[in-house]
């Protein structure tokens, strides 16, 4: 995590989020909306996820395999699962820290302006709900990044693969649900709702505690990491 | 050495082992997720949600005996009013989500919600039109068995100057749920035998086929009633008389009177101009006068391009409040005055004028003899002219409880629910608001509407400029940390 690319990635992420937040503020200054600005900010969470998660995770194992350092690492008294888990934990914590940085935006806006309704920007239940969702869903997204990185020696391929899987995870249920599914619609309705990330985000932001997203993200990330460990073991 | 340790067998066995591990992990994942999606705990811990259901609704949902299908035909986007459409869809979606969750029992869905965008899913929309006879977009349909109830946007949201101001979805949805799940379909009788407009007629001017279809969509059953040979049936929830061309016989009015007085009946009379219906004397008992006059409008704001009348002046009553809030006119071909309080009504009758023509209008008395409509002072009636009157009886019991009696609404616009005019928003809103009030449908459940909040930030250009720099501070801090880290590593 001390690599220069980590800092470059974090600077780019924070700049992108600052730009999104700034655009949001200028829109709210120009016209009225029926959704509070803090809620609207979290609605755009998929955009940084699609770009940041591949950037954060694509190096983790692909680079080790390319430089043939994975074998050296595994010769140490650690198991494959421990290696995978530590790579995953490092990326996930960094991802959460980056998002934590964006939580400063409302405070900065209040500090830098006068006459802005503080309750609109520092809406604590929404901020907490949104941040909890980002951390929870991050478990699965980062796990997907780690898995992609185990599949290939090329960082670029790992990044692209991760991007594609995340795209399907984030937008797939919504896109499929909006299609004419004919006889499948009844059968698919419930699974699609269960996998729908936007639905989970809405629940968290509205302060609704639901055990389903918890199970979904925790079990799925565990499964993805287990597969990643199996792949590393079989290739080493 | 065992055969399993043999190099030739060890590799495929190890691969098989991995494959079995993977398969088992997948089975575990599918099993856990299936169970998790069926048996879960969900709680609103915010305590401030707009969409949290009232205990009354939760009790009704918990007691559902049959499966209820809810179909939402609000498009996901609409060029004509995108923001409003989005807002309506978002509110409806969030609220129905709560209904769906609350109606679950032992992992089984008692209420399912389907979203059909008529523009994106034309095939499904056609199927709905064929099976449920629903071809309207922007509505929410509750369907249970063969009963269905359509909830329109005006029932879900209150509008002021076409802007949504309050959300009353829970009241509308719970009422619709009760109506469909209760198994009772109120019967609305349309009188026949006097040249009235007919629910079986599909012609634009004299047909009520569209109105009949819309009644069925609201879980109301329209039927024909010939009073010449029978009393008003026992199952009548309401009797409607629409623009009779001939006169009611005395024995028929007696039957209507018995229905109203002895069974606390409900009657709606829509009367066109230039005809005597034979109900004039009957209505006098209720303090309603129907004179043989024609209302003429002179102002351009009260006439549409085709010469039809536009009625814009409404009383603040439960029946017409929707028209006042939305500033929506009623369109009609012709009008006649319906006056209140000219005659002594039965004791205990309360009269309310529901709507009137404009101040520039007048009621022509000698329309039969005068070829051109001209206002004659002292002879004709100057505007505004009352066009609809509501009469109701009721009494307060010894315990102070109000006991509702019979209700009569007489409207001097005979063709407002004809196939020609029923599609107008004002006409439809008035007709169904009138029916709901007559059938006490709006009192099925009473839940306060939630105000729709609008959010805007007061930021000047200068402040926005400063914010553009300030918001870069976290990124700048990360960049400085990165530089420091690089310097430390180098030296």
């Amino acid at each position: 995590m001390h690599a220069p690319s980590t800092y470059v990635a974090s600077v780019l992420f924070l700049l992108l989020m600052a730009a999104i937040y700034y655009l949001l503020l200028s829109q709210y200054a120009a016209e009225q909306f029926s959704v509070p600005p803090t809620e609207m900010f979290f609605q755009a969470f998929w955009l940084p996820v699609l770009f940041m998660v591949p950037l954060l995770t694509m190096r983790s194992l692909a680079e080790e395999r390319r430089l043939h350092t994975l074998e050296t690492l595994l010769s140490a008294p650690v198991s494959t699962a421990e290696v995978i888990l530590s790579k995953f934990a490092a990326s996930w914590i960094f991802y959460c820290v980056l998002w934590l940085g964006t939580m400063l935006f409302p405070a900065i806006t209040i500090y830098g302006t006068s006459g802005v309704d503080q309750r609109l920007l520092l809406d604590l239940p929404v901020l907490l709900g949104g941040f909890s969702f980002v951390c929870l869903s991050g478990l699965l997204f980062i796990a997907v990044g780690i898995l992609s990185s185990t599949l290939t020696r090329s960082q670029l391929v790992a990044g692209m693969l991760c991007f594609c899987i995340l795209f399907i995870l984030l937008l797939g249920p919504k896109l499929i649900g909006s299609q004419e599914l004919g006889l499948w619609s009844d059968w698919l309705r419930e699974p699609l709702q269960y996998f729908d990330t936007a639905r989970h985000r809405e629940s968290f932001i509205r302060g609704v505690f639901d055990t389903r997203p918890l199970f979904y993200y925790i079990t799925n990330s565990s499964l993805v990491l287990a597969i990643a460990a199996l792949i590393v073991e079989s290739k080493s | 050495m065992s055969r399993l340790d043999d190099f030739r067998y060890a590799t495929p066995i190890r691969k098989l082992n991995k494959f079995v591990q993977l398969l088992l992990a997948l089975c575990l994942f599918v099993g856990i997720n299936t169970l998790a999606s069926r048996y879960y705990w969900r709680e609103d811990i915010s305590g401030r949600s707009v969409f949290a259901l009232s205990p009354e609704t939760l009790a009704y949902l918990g007691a559902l005996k049959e499966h209820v299908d809810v179909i939402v035909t609000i498009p996901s986007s609409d060029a004509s009013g995108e923001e409003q459409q989005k807002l309506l869809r978002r509110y409806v979606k969030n609220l129905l989500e709560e209904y769906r969750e609350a109606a679950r029992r032992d992992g089984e869905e008692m209420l399912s919600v389907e979203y059909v965008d008529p523009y994106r899913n034309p095939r499904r929309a056609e199927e709905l039109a064929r099976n449920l006879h629903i071809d309207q977009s922007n509505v929410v349909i509750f369907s249970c068995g063969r009963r269905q109830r359509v909830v329109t946007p005006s029932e879900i949201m209150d509008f002021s100057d076409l802007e949504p101001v309050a959300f009353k979805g829970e009241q509308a949805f719970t009422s619709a749920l009760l109506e469909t799940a209760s198994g009772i379909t109120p019967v609305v009788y349309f009188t026949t035998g006097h040249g009235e407009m007919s629910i079986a007629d599909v012609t634009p001017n004299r047909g009520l086929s569209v109105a009949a279809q819309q009644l069925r969509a609201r879980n109301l059953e329209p039927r024909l009633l010939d009073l010449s040979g029978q009393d008003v049936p026992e199952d009548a929830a309401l009797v409607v008389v629409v623009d009779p061309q001939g006169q009611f016989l005395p024995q028929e009015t007696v039957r209507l009177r018995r229905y109203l007085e002895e069974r606390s009946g409900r009657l709606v009379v829509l009367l066109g101009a230039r005809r005597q219906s034979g109900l004039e004397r009957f209505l006098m008992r209720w303090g309603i006068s129907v004179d043989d006059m024609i209302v003429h409008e002179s102002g351009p704001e009260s006439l549409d391009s085709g010469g039809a009348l536009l009625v814009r002046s409404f009383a603040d009553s439960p029946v017409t409040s929707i028209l006042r809030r939305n500033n929506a006119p009623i369109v009609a071909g012709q009008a006649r005055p319906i006056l209140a309080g000219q005659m002594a009504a039965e004791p205990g009758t309360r009269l309310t004028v529901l709507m009137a023509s404009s101040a520039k209008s007048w009621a022509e008395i000698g329309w039969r003899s005068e070829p051109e409509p001209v206002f004659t002072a002292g002879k004709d009636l100057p505007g505004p002219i009352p066009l609809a009157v509501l009469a109701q009886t009721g009494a307060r019991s010894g315990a102070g409880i109000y006991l509702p009696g019979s209700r009569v609404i007489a409207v001097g616009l005979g063709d407002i629910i004809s196939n020609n005019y029923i599609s107008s928003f004002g006409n439809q809103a008035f007709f169904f608001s009138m029916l709901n009030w007559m059938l006490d449908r709006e009192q099925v459940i009473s839940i306060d509407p939630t105000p729709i909040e609008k959010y805007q930030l007061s930021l000047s250009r200068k402040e926005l400029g400063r914010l553009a720099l300030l918001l870069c501070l976290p990124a700048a801090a990360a960049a400085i940390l990165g530089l420091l880290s690089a310097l430390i590593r180098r030296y």
Side-chain angles (χ1 to χ4, degrees), chain B residues 34-170:
Chain B
T34 309
L35 285 174
S37 68
R38 282 175 175 268
Y39 304 98
Y40 56 87
W41 184 57
R42 188 174 186 274
E43 189 75 47
D44 185 347
I45 51 173
S46 73
R48 56 163 207 173
S49 174
V50 179
F51 307 105
L53 300 178
S54 67
E56 212 174 346
T57 300
L58 291 172
Y60 288 133
L61 288 168
L64 275 181
K65 288 188 176 65
E66 281 181 84
H67 185 272
V68 177
D69 285 304
V70 183
I71 299 158
V72 182
T73 65
I74 304 168
S76 43
S77 65
D78 180 21
S80 58
E82 203 172 323
E83 195 52 43
Q84 208 159 301
Q85 202 88 17
K86 269 189 201 166
L87 181 82
L88 181 68
R89 193 177 157 93
R90 192 169 72 85
Y91 270 71
V92 165
K93 197 174 177 182
N94 283 332
L95 185 63
L96 285 176
E97 178 71 21
E98 297 298 323
Y99 273 75
R100 200 175 67 87
E101 297 294 349
R104 261 177 188 266
R105 275 209 295 277
D106 301 324
E108 194 192 339
E109 269 196 353
M110 292 300 286
L111 183 142
S112 58
V113 186
E114 185 187 358
Y115 295 89
V116 179
D117 186 333
Y119 305 112
R120 286 189 183 169
N121 312 102
R123 227 182 308 160
R124 180 72 182 126
E126 273 172 31
E127 206 178 297
L128 281 179
R130 216 172 31 246
N131 298 339
L132 299 175
H133 308 289
I134 304 293
D135 53 1
Q136 290 170 274
S137 63
N138 263 344
V139 293
V140 181
I141 305 147
F142 284 75
S143 167
C144 180
R146 293 183 66 185
R147 299 174 298 277
Q148 55 173 281
R149 167 82 158 87
V150 174
V151 183
T152 55
S154 61
E155 291 175 83
I156 301 169
M157 279 186 175
D158 272 341
F159 294 86
S160 174
D161 290 333
L162 298 174
E163 276 294 311
V165 288
F167 180 62
K168 43 184 190 173
E170 191 180 346

Side-chain angles (χ1 to χ4, degrees), chain B residues 338-357:
Chain B
I338 303 286
L339 307 174
Q342 306 284 309
M343 302 289 168
E346 291 286 312
T349 307
R350 283 178 295 143
L351 295 166
T352 312
V353 174
L354 293 177
M355 65 180 86
S357 59

Side-chain angles (χ1 to χ4, degrees), chain B residues 233-429:
Chain B
E234 283 299 319
D235 62 351
L238 173 72
V239 176
V240 184
V241 181
V242 188
D243 197 15
Q245 303 292 296
Q247 299 216 0
F248 275 68
L249 298 171
Q251 66 266 30
E252 292 176 321
T253 55
V254 168
R255 283 178 177 135
L256 274 180
R257 202 178 71 214
R258 275 213 304 264
Y259 163 67
L260 287 172
E261 290 176 357
E262 292 167 16
R263 289 158 51 192
S264 295
R266 313 285 154 109
L267 174 71
V268 171
V269 184
L270 304 180
L271 296 172
R274 300 173 199 269
R275 290 272 188 277
Q276 291 298 96
S277 63
L279 294 172
E280 291 78 10
R281 287 193 63 188
F282 163 79
L283 288 170
M284 270 181 203
R285 288 177 63 90
W286 294 83
I288 299 171
S289 304
V290 184
D291 294 328
D292 189 16
M293 293 190 256
I294 295 181
V295 176
H296 290 288
E297 286 283 2
S298 57
E301 66 283 352
S302 301
L303 292 166
D304 78 356
S305 53
L309 297 176
L310 299 174
V311 182
R312 294 180 186 278
S313 173
F314 303 105
D316 191 11
S317 77
V319 176
T320 46
S321 58
I322 184 172
L323 298 162
R324 274 173 74 96
R325 281 198 306 271
N326 292 289
N327 201 14
I330 288 180
V331 189
Q334 276 186 344
R336 71 186 300 164
I338 303 286
L339 307 174
Q342 306 284 309
M343 302 289 168
E346 291 286 312
T349 307
R350 283 178 295 143
L351 295 166
T352 312
V353 174
L354 293 177
M355 65 180 86
S357 59
S358 76
K360 292 178 185 170
S361 67
W362 76 95
E364 185 99 16
I365 290 177
W367 61 271
R368 288 177 197 275
S369 53
E370 289 174 20
E372 286 296 315
V374 182
F375 176 67
T376 316
K379 186 181 166 200
D380 293 336
L381 212 59
I385 313 285
L387 297 176
V389 172
L390 177 162
Q392 62 177 323
T393 61
R396 207 161 279 283
S397 73
I401 301 165
Y402 181 74
L403 302 168
S406 41
R407 292 174 180 179
V408 176
I409 293 182
V411 185
L413 309 161
D415 54 358
I416 52 169
I417 61 164
S418 66
N419 291 344
N420 231 354
Y421 292 124
I422 189 72
S423 54
S424 157
F425 171 78
N427 294 31
Q428 212 174 96

Side-chain angles (χ1 to χ4, degrees), chain B residues 214-225:
Chain B
Q214 293 192 357
L215 284 170
R216 287 185 198 103
R218 285 164 173 80
N219 193 35
L220 296 168
E221 195 187 331
R223 282 190 203 160
L224 290 172
L225 171 64

